[in-house]
Amino acid sequence: MADDKTPAAGGIGEAFQEISLADHTPEPLPEQSLDNLDIESLTPLTPDIIARQATINIGTIGHVAHGKSTLVKAISGVQTVRFKNELERNITIKLGYANAKIYKCENPECPPPGCYRSYKSSHEISPPCRRPGCGGRMELQRHVSFVDCPGHDILMATMLNGAAVMDAALLLVAANESCPQPQTSEHLAAIEIMRLQHILIMQNKVDLIKQSQAEEQHKQIQAFVKGTVADGAPVVPISAQLKYNIDVVCEYICTRIPVPARDFTSAPLLIVIRSFDINKPGCAVDELKGGVAGGSILKGVLKVGDEIEVRPGIVSKNAEGQVQVQPILSRIVSLFAEHNDLQYAVPGGLIGVGTLIDPMHCRADRLVGKMLGAVDQLPACYVELEISFFLLRRLLGVRTEGKAKGSKVSKLVKGEVLMLNIGSLSTGGRVTALHADLAKVVLSAPTCARIGDKIALSRRLASSWRLIGWGTVKRGKEL
């Protein structure tokens, strides 16, 4: 347990003793300019970049109602649950997203973890430290995008779409329930498939239990993650509602999660995980705005004014019933990272790309699973894929009674329909041929994919899709 860093019970009140900044005037964020932009000199921690946009994506994963959205709100101050049906039922259904800046006080006298603090994405670069008697200035360490995943088993496909853009993950475990809960293990297996190396474990809701119960559950968590990708990850006891130990979480995000190496010089490629029509009903024709695609840039730099292409674009069938794709060509008219407008956007972080695409094609997440990038530089579109796959031994995320082991995963059968998650696309696929660990799959919707991309495989069991294995794209039949 993070005992050496955990404040004593008396320290809870101290965390809230802070000086008021009512008379402080925040400095404006530095302006971005395309005139003197030298792409080769950019890094994910260049001050001009992290002042306005996040450069690392961190996912929150775990069982339903374990506090994923609450933790994101505690760190970033942003409510990720936005839709009416989500608010009524108090659950996450679509992927939530929020940005936060994490600062560290540059005064060496300011003790950790209290010297770490998080603010909203639009906050100034070096605010004054709010610890009484410190007088130092805070230094911007990281600008983080949180991808808030739903915890329900039937929304597993949405969680896998979000995993496509994550660089690291926070695994939440509620302290007032036994560990592991079904989706705790299923989500952990999913991020292992996506090759995520950096994981922090949050033992949430510690304010609801006694210390002895917290220590007992801490042992359960250690036993559960043994041998997985989260083995050896720090377990931080927190209360997301009371914002208790959030400074420790901020410290670990800065010290335990490195900023991934990014490719700035290649042709830009953005993976779309959300898309919107931002026009209000009854909007006048001459005031219509183009659709917005939201996602994370995998490589390259997108600039305002760039000509772009979206693949697979508009999918249709010809007279013979064969699938055709027509790429959508457009231009970038604006770039946003939450409320910060950008002139250029770099890999990492969640970006909103304002385009001139007909909003009908963007509304209600219609662009999800497509790729956006430079014209004629995107990967090919496939309707048939050859994949090498690996199946899990047992089903995860299914409750078992008593000591009963989870049911075994049966082999793939020719002709069965699976759900494939390729990047941020969820699509059906029919298995047409099998040989050892190779399978040929005909997709129900064309996909834009790169050779070597990871795929998550799910099978329909009872009423929901269950994760049964993963695969890699070997080759495919191009459109």
Side-chain angles (χ1 to χ4, degrees):
M1 237 171 172
D3 291 320
D4 51 327
K5 301 251 170 121
T6 310
I12 296 181
E14 288 165 27
F16 294 99
Q17 291 175 0
E18 27 183 68
I19 53 173
S20 166
L21 298 181
D23 53 349
H24 170 70
T25 310
E27 298 166 12
L29 296 177
E31 293 295 326
Q32 289 187 340
S33 166
L34 291 174
D35 304 332
N36 49 12
L37 175 62
D38 176 16
I39 289 176
E40 299 203 352
S41 67
L42 295 178
T43 70
L45 294 176
T46 304
D48 283 6
I49 291 175
I50 61 168
R52 285 184 173 268
Q53 86 156 84
T55 51
I56 180 168
N57 293 322
I58 298 181
T60 56
I61 58 169
H63 193 65
V64 56
H66 278 200
K68 297 179 290 297
S69 303
T70 315
L71 176 65
V72 171
K73 187 169 187 230
I75 298 176
S76 68
V78 176
Q79 173 85 17
T80 57
V81 179
R82 292 184 171 94
F83 287 84
K84 183 168 177 272
N85 56 348
E86 294 181 311
L87 292 164
E88 282 172 356
R89 298 164 64 187
N90 194 22
I91 59 170
T92 304
I93 297 173
K94 293 176 183 284
L95 285 173
Y97 47 89
N99 292 354
K101 285 176 172 168
I102 298 177
Y103 298 84
K104 182 185 181 187
C105 181
E106 54 191 30
N107 180 357
E109 308 288 308
C110 207
C115 59
Y116 287 89
R117 187 172 282 274
S118 62
Y119 289 103
K120 282 189 172 178
S121 172
S122 51
H123 207 69
E124 61 181 316
I125 285 197
S126 63
C129 180
R130 297 183 69 174
R131 198 174 65 85
C134 173
R137 301 289 281 192
M138 306 290 276
E139 204 172 67
L140 182 56
Q141 299 286 314
R142 296 276 190 279
H143 197 163
V144 180
S145 260
F146 289 101
V147 184
D148 183 27
C149 294
H152 283 74
D153 57 346
I154 54 172
L155 299 170
M156 192 65 200
T158 311
M159 182 267 155
L160 290 168
N161 292 350
V165 298
M166 293 178 196
D167 300 310
L170 306 179
L171 174 65
L172 275 99
V173 181
N176 59 345
E177 293 181 24
S178 62
C179 173
Q181 291 290 315
Q183 267 58 57
T184 311
S185 50
E186 196 168 18
H187 284 192
L188 188 59
I191 57 170
E192 207 155 350
I193 288 172
M194 298 300 176
R195 290 199 188 131
L196 283 189
Q197 300 298 320
H198 305 289
I199 295 168
L200 302 177
I201 302 167
M202 307 288 141
Q203 187 182 13
N204 193 15
K205 309 189 188 184
V206 289
D207 53 320
L208 302 180
I209 56 166
K210 295 190 176 81
Q211 187 173 343
S212 57
Q213 290 171 284
E215 288 168 359
E216 182 57 41
Q217 199 211 24
H218 181 259
K219 290 177 188 150
Q220 284 182 5
I221 296 171
Q222 297 286 29
F224 162 58
V225 298
K226 196 169 173 52
T228 69
V229 71
D231 200 350
V235 179
V236 186
I238 62 166
S239 168
Q241 280 289 11
L242 300 179
K243 295 191 169 56
Y244 178 52
N245 261 3
I246 298 299
D247 47 2
V248 182
V249 180
C250 293
E251 180 183 5
Y252 275 141
I253 287 174
C254 291
T255 55
R256 291 294 192 114
I257 300 177
V259 174
R262 303 286 192 196
D263 175 3
F264 288 85
T265 50
S266 301
L269 177 65
L270 176 131
I271 187 165
V272 181
I273 60 169
R274 297 288 297 272
S275 72
F276 316 94
D277 167 10
I278 55 171
N279 299 296
K280 300 277 192 294
C283 181
V285 174
D286 51 355
E287 290 172 3
L288 276 176
K289 292 186 169 75
V292 173
S296 194
I297 302 176
L298 299 180
K299 57 176 188 161
V301 176
L302 283 176
K303 299 188 278 294
V304 172
D306 277 2
E307 299 291 326
I308 54 158
E309 175 181 3
V310 176
R311 283 190 194 173
I314 300 166
V315 180
S316 58
K317 288 192 173 177
N318 61 12
E320 285 85 53
Q322 292 170 320
V323 176
Q324 293 176 313
V325 291
Q326 180 194 347
I328 302 171
L329 300 173
S330 187
R331 197 172 81 245
I332 298 177
V333 290
S334 63
L335 289 166
F336 273 87
E338 218 158 80
H339 298 297
N340 303 335
D341 62 317
L342 310 171
Q343 291 299 309
Y344 56 88
V346 302
L350 297 174
I351 303 296
V353 182
T355 65
L356 295 173
I357 297 171
D358 182 342
M360 183 196 79
H361 295 304
C362 302
R363 64 182 309 165
D365 287 346
R366 284 184 192 175
L367 288 185
V368 169
K370 300 188 187 329
M371 287 194 175
L372 181 152
V375 180
D376 294 334
Q377 300 282 330
L378 290 172
C381 293
Y382 300 105
V383 279
E384 195 177 286
L385 290 176
E386 203 171 292
I387 60 171
S388 67
F389 64 90
F390 180 86
L391 296 182
L392 300 169
R393 286 198 294 279
R394 297 191 181 280
L395 277 179
L396 297 162
V398 183
R399 282 188 190 277
T400 50
E401 294 301 318
K403 298 263 176 113
K405 287 277 189 190
S407 47
K408 280 203 163 100
V409 173
S410 53
K411 289 184 176 172
L412 294 187
V413 184
K414 194 172 165 185
E416 79 167 317
V417 175
L418 300 172
M419 181 179 77
L420 284 77
N421 284 82
I422 310 164
S424 68
L425 176 74
S426 304
T427 180
R430 199 175 78 255
V431 180
T432 54
L434 287 163
H435 174 70
D437 65 342
L438 295 173
K440 198 174 268 185
V441 184
V442 174
L443 304 175
S444 57
T447 177
C448 182
R450 299 173 297 177
I451 302 300
D453 273 0
K454 296 281 273 187
I455 296 179
L457 305 173
S458 307
R459 175 184 277 153
R460 182 124 196 154
L461 291 160
S463 62
S464 56
W465 293 96
R466 302 256 70 116
L467 187 67
I468 58 159
W470 64 89
T472 313
V473 178
K474 290 293 184 195
R475 59 179 80 85
K477 180 178 166 188
E478 291 185 26
L479 276 175

